[in-house]
Amino acid sequence: MSLPHAQVGPATRQAGCFAARVERWTRQSHRWLSLVFTAAVLLNFAARALQPGEPPPWITYSPLPPLFLQLFSGLYLFALPYLRPRGGAGR
């Protein structure tokens, strides 16, 4: 059972505000990381097409850091609906 907004204390509202900011920041960073990852993959393919032989390892493995960060932020965003308290008593 959720309490009406008037009965919630300031500490609870601040915690909710902080959680909303973290969620918004995580969503935004996840979007930007997807752009960085896509650019790194495209540059990787371009380097392989333009340069004979194997490109340097830093080019080959450059998509991995944003991919791992996306893994963790994506798992967090996936779990958010399951971690939130239910909205109403009838649900």
Side-chain angles (χ1 to χ4, degrees):
M1 182 172 116
S2 64
L3 296 173
H5 186 68
Q7 294 178 357
V8 176
T12 306
R13 278 195 298 269
Q14 285 178 350
C17 183
F18 176 74
R21 276 187 277 156
V22 168
E23 181 181 341
R24 186 172 52 239
W25 183 84
T26 305
R27 287 184 189 280
Q28 192 65 34
S29 63
H30 189 79
R31 289 183 192 120
W32 281 103
L33 282 170
S34 69
L35 293 173
V36 170
F37 172 74
T38 303
V41 169
L42 291 175
L43 291 173
N44 195 339
F45 278 108
R48 289 179 182 276
L50 298 175
Q51 183 178 1
E54 189 69 21
W58 68 270
I59 293 177
T60 302
Y61 298 121
S62 64
L64 291 180
L67 181 64
F68 285 125
L69 291 173
Q70 273 193 298
L71 170 70
F72 297 125
S73 64
L75 287 173
Y76 171 73
L77 292 172
F78 178 77
L80 272 178
Y82 302 104
L83 298 175
R84 286 190 185 138
R86 302 259 175 170
R91 290 186 182 180

